[in-house]
Amino acid sequence: MVTNRPRSAGSGPPVEPVHAPGARPGRPWPTRPYAGSGTAREANSRYKQLIANGTTDLSVAFDLPTRVGRDSDAPVASGEVGRTGVAVDSIDDMRVLLGGIPLAEVSTSMTVDAPASLLLLLYQLVAEEQGVGAGLLTGGSRNDVLQEYIARGTCIFPPKPSLRLTADVFTYCRAEIPRWDTLAVSGHRMAEAGASPAQEIAFTLADGIQYVRAAVAAGVDVDEFAPRLSFSFTTRTAHRGAAGLRAARRIWARVMREEFGAGNPGSLAPRALAYETDGTAAASSSGCRAAGGTTDDIEAATVELMRRVEDLGGAVAAIEHGYQAGEIDAHARRVARETGSGVRTAVAVDRFRPGVPDAAESPEPLRVAPSVEVRQAERLAKLRAWRDQDRVDRRLAGVQKAAAGDDNVLYPMKDALSAGATVGEVCDALREIWGTHTPGGPC
């Protein structure tokens, strides 16, 4: 992997994907209204409003307790329920969240990583209750667990079982929900943590390579899997953004061909988001020529970092050594010393404020009433009162049996959720088998 040096002057054209005529985006990729806070009922009202206004692409944000696999009535969830997204503890909440939503007609993106499999299963269960077969469901889950260890810290399990769970999602969706995009690899979180452009690209692509290896090892064909991957990068200026995306395209195409033997043009061209880098120009060769030698410089630095990751055994092994997080932290500290400032403008906040296209001030912070946490606790108490606890316990035991062996854990997880098990209870069952990850501690 990453064996070829970046091209030098006079060495011929770089290895990179070639778009068919008209295939290169000349406008931004589709964007989804990012919504969801408080209770499932409140979020449902917002989704219905969006659909009434013509939206067919939804993006669901989940709150912090949900994203770390804790129920809303857990002591550690106090003060966080419904704050950064909607609280979803069980199939009961998902029924409310999706009530009256035409799931066969909308595409839904779910911003969640470690418990992405659980939220997808709840989505599938409610769709089936509505008479919508899983084969009709479209959308995607971010599901990028590796970046959590590098830049976020909202991890649940250690890296290796987390990657195993992600691979189980790949094979499950291939068989059961074939139109669902199972992974979006996120580099922008690393940039927000202080990564340099080369670090952001290198560690994001290394994560992508690790996921492709996991999919191939699970029996998924690379040309079936790789075209459905998407990446998000956040670079600092238009020229460096263009150069960074071009470097990423070169490297990804080369690795896909040389390591995996990919032949599908979609496998060779990493799909990226638009506005953080003026991506409609950056995706093209002509849009990058203005950057001159910057592309080669970023590519050389990126390849060197990726080689170091490989020398440690790949992305997961490097995470276990603390390599990526350590490199990003060192760079961020160095920049802070040299500039005295680490502040950057968040495009998602400033560019798309209605009526204020270039506003510099931040919007008013979201305030969630304390009653949200109380109502969620009451809903959980009612759920546990009416469900068949013996049935739930049997299904959770099935989850643990699969987790301890080699079976795909999503099938028993779906059974447990259908029986009324909560997201926190399923995660607790897995924690007993796989252990936990402590941010800043050993993996």
Side-chain angles (χ1 to χ4, degrees):
M1 199 286 294
V2 197
T3 55
N4 286 359
R5 291 283 178 185
R7 73 184 181 103
S8 58
S11 63
V15 177
E16 62 178 293
V18 177
H19 294 283
R24 179 180 62 81
R27 59 185 184 276
W29 285 261
T31 56
R32 302 168 186 266
Y34 186 69
S37 63
T39 66
R41 192 171 303 281
E42 293 165 341
N44 175 262
S45 297
R46 173 60 174 155
Y47 299 145
K48 287 179 177 176
Q49 180 185 35
L50 290 170
I51 291 171
N53 291 338
T55 296
T56 58
D57 298 289
L58 299 178
S59 179
V60 184
F62 295 94
D63 70 357
L64 181 59
T66 303
R67 296 203 312 270
V68 296
R70 300 292 185 181
D71 290 332
S72 296
D73 60 353
V76 296
S78 180
E80 295 292 341
V81 176
R83 285 190 60 193
T84 59
V86 63
V88 174
D89 294 310
S90 70
I91 190 171
D92 187 39
D93 289 326
M94 191 62 84
R95 287 177 180 130
V96 174
L97 181 70
L98 301 177
I101 305 297
L103 298 182
E105 301 172 18
V106 301
S107 175
T108 304
S109 172
M110 295 195 285
T111 302
V112 62
D113 292 301
S117 55
L118 291 166
L119 278 304
L120 174 57
L121 291 170
L122 289 174
Y123 190 90
Q124 179 189 0
L125 283 166
V126 171
E128 290 173 348
E129 289 180 352
Q130 295 180 2
V132 179
L136 297 177
L137 299 180
T138 60
S141 307
R142 189 168 66 186
N143 197 22
D144 182 7
V145 293
L146 297 183
Q147 60 91 19
E148 294 289 318
Y149 303 99
I150 298 171
R152 291 267 289 172
T154 51
C155 315
I156 300 179
F157 315 113
K160 288 179 181 176
S162 290
L163 186 63
R164 178 260 175 98
L165 179 58
T166 302
D168 282 355
V169 173
F170 298 158
T171 55
Y172 179 87
C173 287
R174 180 191 185 195
E176 307 292 339
I177 318 178
R179 299 173 67 188
W180 196 263
D181 290 335
T182 55
L183 179 64
V185 190
S186 305
H188 69 279
R189 296 297 185 190
M190 301 183 203
E192 291 168 359
S196 69
Q199 287 174 339
E200 178 191 358
I201 296 167
F203 300 151
T204 302
L205 293 183
D207 287 353
I209 291 166
Q210 186 78 74
Y211 292 127
V212 174
R213 288 172 178 165
V216 171
V220 181
D221 182 81
V222 64
D223 282 327
E224 177 184 347
F225 175 76
R228 301 185 72 88
L229 285 176
S230 61
F231 294 82
S232 63
F233 297 105
T234 304
T235 45
R236 284 73 176 169
T237 67
H239 278 184
R240 290 189 68 82
L245 278 182
R246 187 166 172 81
R249 291 175 63 217
R250 288 180 182 176
I251 296 167
W252 185 256
R254 188 161 60 236
V255 172
M256 288 298 102
R257 282 176 173 154
E258 294 180 1
E259 177 175 345
F260 299 102
N264 185 337
S267 301
L268 308 179
R271 293 188 296 165
L273 301 176
Y275 285 104
E276 298 288 346
T277 57
D278 191 16
T280 55
S284 71
S285 298
S286 59
C288 294
R289 290 191 183 110
T294 306
T295 299
D296 292 341
D297 296 338
I298 293 178
E299 183 179 0
T302 298
V303 168
E304 182 58 33
L305 287 166
M306 293 177 72
R307 282 203 188 93
R308 295 177 192 172
V309 171
E310 284 299 295
D311 289 343
L312 291 169
V316 168
I319 286 170
E320 292 174 336
H321 282 84
Y323 172 69
Q324 298 98 318
E327 288 290 302
I328 292 172
D329 183 66
H331 178 267
R333 290 177 184 274
R334 184 167 60 254
V335 170
R337 287 195 304 268
E338 294 172 354
T339 66
S341 174
V343 178
R344 62 181 294 273
T345 299
V347 171
V349 171
D350 295 332
R351 184 162 186 170
F352 294 111
R353 291 185 66 206
V356 192
D358 295 311
E361 71 274 13
S362 297
E364 286 297 314
L366 172 68
R367 292 181 174 87
V368 177
S371 60
V372 169
E373 189 169 322
V374 174
R375 293 200 299 270
Q376 279 301 110
E378 290 173 348
R379 289 174 62 82
L380 281 166
K382 291 179 181 178
L383 171 74
R384 294 185 176 115
W386 65 253
R387 71 185 184 183
D388 183 340
Q389 189 61 46
D390 288 340
R391 182 181 176 218
V392 171
D393 291 341
R394 291 194 303 271
R395 298 294 172 82
L396 290 174
V399 171
Q400 292 186 317
K401 181 180 179 181
D406 298 325
D407 292 342
N408 190 311
V409 295
L410 268 71
Y411 292 95
M413 282 167 52
K414 183 184 178 187
D415 290 341
L417 294 168
S418 178
T422 67
V423 170
E425 288 167 345
V426 175
C427 287
D428 284 343
L430 293 172
R431 286 182 180 102
E432 291 183 13
I433 304 299
W434 290 341
T436 60
H437 173 74
T438 302
C443 294

